[in-house]
Amino acid sequence: MQAKLIFSSLFFASSALAAPSDPLAVRDTQGIGSVSQQSKPLTLAPKNIAGNGNYTSNWAGAMYHPLDRGIIWNSALTNMTVPKVSVAPGATGDFHALAWVGIDGGILCPSAMLQVGVHMTAVGSKGKTTKQTYRAWYQWYPDNRKYIDNFDINAGDVLQMSVQASKPNIGAVFLKNGRTGRSVNQKLTSKASLCGKNVEYMVDDFASTPHHDGLADFGEVVFNSCLGGSLHPEMLTGQMWGAQSFNVKKEADKGPANAYTTVNITGVMSVKVKYDRR
């Protein structure tokens, strides 16, 4: 499924780049539990799994491609309501999902990726969830994912998330929790240059690594007001690819920890990612 959308350039309001409400403290993911250190670039599923569909083994969501190949994306913005996560049906262990907005990391630019989002974790046994945690994070791949301390997130909170790159190696991430009013804005630099080929709105399953037990049952994540921006001085036309284009799909023989997802574009600027309990 695809939809043609119109975006204005430089959509970032001054409030989105304001100073954080209090000092930003971050932690590298190195050594935090057994969680993988990185959100990985797009990984297409093998043909014997994907069949004729464009499935991935880690991303579920939508991606914007500019119709004009000379246009470079430099910003992306969305808001989402944090879902209540649970362990996979009938399963035991630690289950994770990352919901994020970002630039690059697709097949056109796998060497760099700027993201910000929420890491959702469910712990339980035999399908019964005993613990849920939600942590704010950002990443400029290939650097490790970093968590934002003192940023409280609960299920039901509405998060505003945005990324911006003023230059290929200079950018910023912004995150605000509507319930608490807490906001952070972190300026970043990286040796990995962004290409500006795509902006994405994704739920990420990093279960392809051996460090956790599978994708958390997140029910449904809806990215609203999905906007992308460019330094291009004119209005920008882009294509949003969703539905069957980017869905997590695993081998069927790995038990209840496996999950499928379905993705739909709902309205003009919203992306719905649903956990499929098949």
Side-chain angles (χ1 to χ4, degrees):
M1 179 179 179
Q2 56 179 303
K4 294 183 178 180
L5 302 171
I6 302 294
F7 306 103
S8 62
S9 62
L10 295 176
F11 63 80
F12 275 83
S14 58
S15 60
L17 294 177
S21 55
D22 50 71
L24 178 66
V26 299
R27 292 176 296 150
D28 197 283
T29 55
Q30 179 73 35
I32 296 178
S34 59
V35 176
S36 172
Q37 295 179 15
Q38 294 175 325
S39 172
K40 299 292 186 180
L42 175 70
T43 303
L44 293 175
K47 275 293 183 182
N48 64 322
I49 300 173
N52 294 323
N54 290 323
Y55 289 96
T56 83
S57 61
N58 58 338
W59 288 10
M63 178 182 292
Y64 290 143
H65 304 267
L67 293 181
D68 183 343
R69 294 188 179 183
I71 290 175
I72 303 298
W73 297 103
N74 79 323
S75 54
L77 168 72
T78 191
N79 63 71
M80 60 163 283
T81 300
V82 178
K84 184 177 181 179
V85 293
S86 59
V87 300
T92 296
D94 293 10
F95 296 82
H96 302 259
L98 306 173
W100 54 267
V101 59
I103 302 173
D104 287 332
I107 58 175
L108 298 178
C109 188
S111 60
M113 176 170 57
L114 179 61
Q115 307 158 279
V116 67
V118 55
H119 179 172
M120 305 174 288
T121 303
V123 180
S125 177
K126 297 181 180 179
K128 183 178 180 179
T129 302
T130 58
K131 182 181 180 181
Q132 295 134 331
T133 59
Y134 303 90
R135 293 178 289 176
W137 63 277
Y138 66 85
Q139 177 178 284
W140 195 320
Y141 179 88
D143 287 346
N144 290 340
R145 187 166 62 248
K146 292 179 172 61
Y147 292 115
I148 302 172
D149 287 332
N150 303 316
F151 196 95
D152 183 50
I153 301 176
N154 295 329
D157 288 352
V158 177
L159 302 180
Q160 180 183 349
M161 309 184 296
S162 59
V163 294
Q164 183 183 41
S166 57
K167 295 182 179 180
N169 301 91
I170 301 175
V173 297
F174 175 81
L175 188 67
K176 181 176 181 179
N177 187 327
R179 174 180 62 87
T180 65
R182 171 85 159 97
S183 64
V184 293
N185 177 59
Q186 177 70 9
K187 295 180 179 180
L188 302 169
T189 60
S190 176
K191 294 181 180 179
S193 296
L194 296 171
C195 311
K197 296 295 186 181
N198 306 111
V199 292
E200 303 98 9
Y201 308 87
M202 296 289 173
V203 176
D204 194 331
D205 172 20
F206 53 104
S208 55
T209 67
H211 301 294
H212 68 78
D213 298 302
L215 179 66
D217 181 350
F218 55 85
E220 184 176 278
V221 170
V222 180
F223 298 99
N224 291 306
S225 302
C226 297
L227 298 173
S230 170
L231 291 174
H232 196 275
E234 299 176 356
M235 296 296 287
L236 177 64
T237 302
Q239 283 184 316
M240 175 188 278
W241 296 81
Q244 298 303 313
S245 295
F246 301 102
N247 292 306
V248 175
K249 189 172 183 180
K250 303 294 183 182
E251 297 89 345
D253 60 354
K254 289 188 177 179
N258 286 319
Y260 296 83
T261 62
T262 56
V263 180
N264 291 286
I265 298 169
T266 58
V268 178
M269 293 183 294
S270 295
V271 179
K272 180 185 295 185
V273 185
K274 185 177 180 182
Y275 182 98
D276 194 333
R277 295 174 176 82
R278 287 179 294 180

